[in-house]
Structures are given as C-alpha cells and as structure tokens.
Amino acid sequence: MSVQKPCLRCLLDEADPDGIYRTVKERIDSLDESIKTDSETYLARLEICKCCDSLISGTCVLCGCFAQLRAAKAKMHCPDIPARW
C-alpha cells in the first residue's frame, strides 16, 4: 500500500477538490461582498501563497488558516513577517 504525500504548495482545490475545499468554497461564497476582496487581488494573493514554504495542503502553517479563505477577506493579510501580501 502506497502512502500519498501531502501536496506541498497546493491549494485546497488542487489537493482535495471534493472534501474540505467544498466547505471552504461555500464559506467564501457566503461572505458578505463588503468584506470580500476583488477577484484580481484574491488570485494574486493565492499565487503568492503557492510560492510560500509555509503552505501545506491548502493550510498556512504560520497561522493555521485555510489560505483561500484568508485571501478572500479584504482586511486580512499574510501572517508572515514581513507580510507577503
């Protein structure tokens, strides 16, 4: 039996499209528009996250958040010091 390694530098939709990602996506979709970031900023933030050594299977190991949920909120920032976005 082979053990699948965690997907390093993957976001949830790439690592687990039918599991946790669906729940996180539903949460992002349900956010009030007044607190969401625009789609261009959201995608730019995720590109930065995907290059970060602290992203493991869609989770930021610096703060424990789901990177896609954090990136979707306009007033949030990267928890790294200094912040990457």
Side-chain angles (χ1 to χ4, degrees):
M1 180 169 146
S2 68
V3 176
Q4 185 176 357
K5 288 182 168 184
C7 182
L8 305 178
R9 307 307 167 279
C10 285
L11 298 170
L12 288 172
D13 58 331
E14 298 163 333
D16 183 25
D18 296 320
I20 296 171
Y21 174 66
R22 185 175 344 152
T23 303
V24 171
K25 179 156 180 15
E26 288 170 0
R27 177 70 178 117
I28 292 169
D29 291 343
S30 72
L31 290 173
D32 188 279
E33 291 298 319
S34 67
I35 65 169
K36 284 174 98 171
T37 190
D38 62 89
S39 62
E40 185 177 320
T41 301
Y42 174 72
L43 294 174
R45 288 176 174 187
L46 293 181
E47 286 303 313
I48 293 167
C49 290
K50 287 170 65 171
C51 296
C52 180
D53 291 338
S54 298
L55 180 69
I56 308 288
S57 298
T59 303
C60 174
V61 297
L62 295 174
C63 67
C65 75
F66 293 116
Q68 286 161 278
L69 184 56
R70 185 180 201 94
K73 297 177 182 178
K75 291 190 178 181
M76 297 299 282
H77 58 84
C78 169
D80 203 359
I81 301 172
R84 297 170 185 255
W85 51 262

